[in-house]
Every structure is written in structure tokens, then in C-alpha cells.
């Protein structure tokens, strides 16, 4: 698997992007920095961080996710914009702008937030434009990290308890926009044979990062979640319609009825026929 190296991009060509971020922060009196998709800091912090004591402490501890999630509690204005590399169709991270709400220039409600969003939008476009030039000059391979397939990752997926996956769906909760979009796409396309590559590309993430993010946010691997959703819908169809088991299998994108029946039993403990015929079974 491969992942885009945002840190290599920022440091490329004698740190062109880093110098631009630093100069922009100084000129516009904001604090800027770049995070990867996991929320890890991939650049230095540019601009004056001394206007807010708590902000300075968070910056010192590199606790940038705390700023993202709780900036209002810390009296900070905050905005960010996703950075997308068009040549690979992936979001690789986000540029962030922060400023203390204690500034005397912040009397107009909402003005600072709008200004920070405008700063982020400008920096996003700037970074993406320069990135295209750097990639054209140096080649996309310069900025890609190749990861070996980890045995631990395979074991983690095997350890998913299939017969508990349906219960996990009931309590699933995430605020991550990429995962919410992925789940919506899956739910709208349960009749298709979806793959990890297809879904990750829909939310502009690499399959490597998307796989890890999906497991972190849902507590289920992509494949287990997908099958659980298909079986959950199959349970409803079996109880509420007279469709044959073969028709249900086809409606949910299974290539063979035998595989559908096998998967159904693995997730529910019953064959499709047993489930349909047992009136007391709850969905």
C-alpha cells in the first residue's frame, strides 16, 4: 500500500511551501500550520502564538486536535480547509488558521471566523497550485511512501467478531466527515459489489489511510461493516417481503446464493430460510 508523504511535499524545493506559510502568517497576523488526515502536525507552527496562554500551552504540547475540537472553549477562532492532490484524487491533510478571540479587532460577531475561513481557502489554493508544479517537476513517486502489508493489520481484521457486528451497527457513532460520507455511499449502493478502493476514492483518501480510519471510527473493518450492513438489510427484506432468497441475494450484490447464505448465517446464527420462518426473531 502507498500513502502520500505530506511532510516531503512541504520540505520540497528548498521548503518553498514552508516559507510561504511562514510569510503569510506573519503578514496577516494569524497562526497557521498543516495537519495530516490523522490530525498529526506535519509542519511547524507559523505566526505569533503568545496572544493566548492556553493556546501557547497547547502548541507547546503539540496537542493540535485539542485546538480543532475545543477552540471555542479556549477563546480561539479556528478554521481549516482540506488539501487535495488532484493527480491522485486524494485529500492529504488540511491547512489550519487560528487567532485569539481577545484581539481588539474582533468586535464584530463572526467576522474573525469568516476571515480565518478566507485565509484557509487562499492557503489551500496556494498549496494545491504549488503542489501541482512540484509533482510535475519531480514526479508523484517522490512524494509517496510504500508500506508493506502488516501481518498485525491482517490479524486485526480476522479478529473482528462477525456475530457481534450487527450489534455494533446499532451503536455506531462518528463525527468524521469522510467516514460519514463513506457510510452514506455504502448505504446507497448495497446492491453493488463495493471494494475498499472504490469507497476510499469516493472520499478522496488513500486505501491505506481510509482502512485504518474506518476501523478506528466504526470499530469494524471495512469488509465486516459492509457485510453487516448487507445482512442487516437482508433481514428486513426477508421479514417484510416475499422475495425469494435468490432474489434477496441478487438485490444485495452477492455473486452466489451459497455465499449469501453462508455470510447470513455467520452474522446472525441462522440461515436465511430459518430467519424468515421464525416469527419470534427480532430484526
Amino acid at each position: 500500500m502507498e500513502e502520500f508523504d505530506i511532510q516531503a511535499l512541504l520540505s520540497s524545493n528548498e521548503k518553498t511551501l514552508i516559507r510561504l506559510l511562514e510569510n503569510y502568517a506573519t503578514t496577516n497576523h494569524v497562526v497557521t500550520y498543516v495537519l495530516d488526515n490523522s490530525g498529526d502536525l506535519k509542519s511547524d507552527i507559523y505566526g505569533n502564538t503568545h496572544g493566548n496562554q492556553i493556546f501557547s500551552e497547547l502548541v507547546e504540547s503539540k496537542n493540535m486536535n485539542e485546538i480543532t475540537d475545543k477552540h471555542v472553549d479556549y477563546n480561539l477562532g479556528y478554521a481549516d480547509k482540506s488539501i487535495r492532490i488532484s493527480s491522485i484524487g486524494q485529500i492529504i491533510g488540511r491547512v489550519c488558521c487560528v487567532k485569539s478571540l481577545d484581539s481588539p479587532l474582533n468586535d464584530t460577531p463572526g467576522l474573525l471566523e469568516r476571515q480565518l475561513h478566507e485565509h484557509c481557502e487562499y492557503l489551500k489554493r496556494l498549496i494545491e497550485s504549488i503542489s501541482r508544479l512540484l509533482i510535475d517537476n519531480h514526479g508523484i513517486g517522490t512524494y509517496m511512501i510504500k508500506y508493506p502489508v502488516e501481518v498485525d493489520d491482517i490479524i486485526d481484521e480476522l479478529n473482528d467478531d462477525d456475530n457481534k457486528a450487527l450489534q455494533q451497527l446499532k451503536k455506531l457513532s462518528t463525527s468524521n466527515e469522510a467516514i460519514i460520507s463513506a457510510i452514506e455511499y455504502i448505504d446507497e449502493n448495497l446492491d453493488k459489489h463495493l471494494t475498499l478502493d472504490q469507497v476510499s476514492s469516493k472520499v478522496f483518501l488513500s486505501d491505506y489511510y481510509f482502512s485504518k480510519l474506518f476501523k478506528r471510527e466504526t470499530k469494524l473493518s471495512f469488509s465486516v461493516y459492509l457485510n453487516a450492513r448487507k445482512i442487516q438489510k437482508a433481514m428486513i427484506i426477508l421479514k417484510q417481503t416475499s422475495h425469494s432468497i435468490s432474489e434477496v441475494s441478487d438485490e444485495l450484490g452477492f455473486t452466489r446464493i451459497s455465499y449469501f447464505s453462508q455470510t447470513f448465517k455467520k452474522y446472525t446464527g441462522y440461515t436465511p430460510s430459518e430467519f424468515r420462518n421464525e416469527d419470534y426473531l427480532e430484526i
Side-chain angles (χ1 to χ4, degrees), residues 157 160-162 165 220-229 267:
E157 184 159 330
D160 275 323
D161 195 341
D162 296 334
L220 296 169
S221 68
F222 170 78
S223 60
V224 169
Y225 174 86
L226 177 60
N227 278 333
R229 279 294 291 124
Y267 280 76

Side-chain angles (χ1 to χ4, degrees), residues 160-208:
D160 275 323
D161 195 341
D162 296 334
N163 59 19
K164 293 182 180 178
L166 292 173
Q167 294 300 320
Q168 180 63 32
L169 289 185
K170 293 181 180 180
K171 57 185 178 181
L172 189 148
S173 176
T174 178
S175 59
N176 185 282
E177 292 183 5
I179 298 304
I180 291 171
S181 296
I183 287 172
E184 289 174 349
Y185 180 75
I186 291 169
D187 287 350
E188 291 167 2
N189 293 275
L190 288 174
D191 60 326
K192 298 180 175 64
H193 179 69
L194 296 175
T195 65
L196 179 69
D197 288 347
Q198 286 175 318
V199 179
S200 62
S201 67
K202 289 294 180 182
V203 294
F204 307 110
L205 296 174
S206 71
D207 55 356
Y208 177 84

Side-chain angles (χ1 to χ4, degrees), residues 99-159:
K99 193 169 185 178
S100 173
L101 293 173
D102 294 328
S103 170
L105 300 175
N106 299 333
D107 294 334
T108 306
L111 177 61
L112 178 62
E113 295 290 345
R114 290 197 297 274
Q115 290 176 337
L116 291 175
H117 279 287
E118 288 172 2
H119 287 312
C120 281
E121 183 62 34
Y122 178 81
L123 287 171
K124 163 193 165 69
R125 293 177 182 275
L126 187 67
I127 292 170
E128 289 178 348
S129 296
I130 293 173
S131 297
R132 280 195 293 272
L133 294 174
L134 292 172
I135 290 170
D136 286 345
N137 287 336
H138 301 289
I140 189 65
T142 305
Y143 305 105
M144 300 301 292
I145 304 172
K146 290 188 177 181
Y147 293 101
V149 175
E150 296 289 345
V151 173
D152 287 346
D153 291 343
I154 297 172
I155 292 173
D156 284 345
E157 184 159 330
L158 292 175
N159 284 340

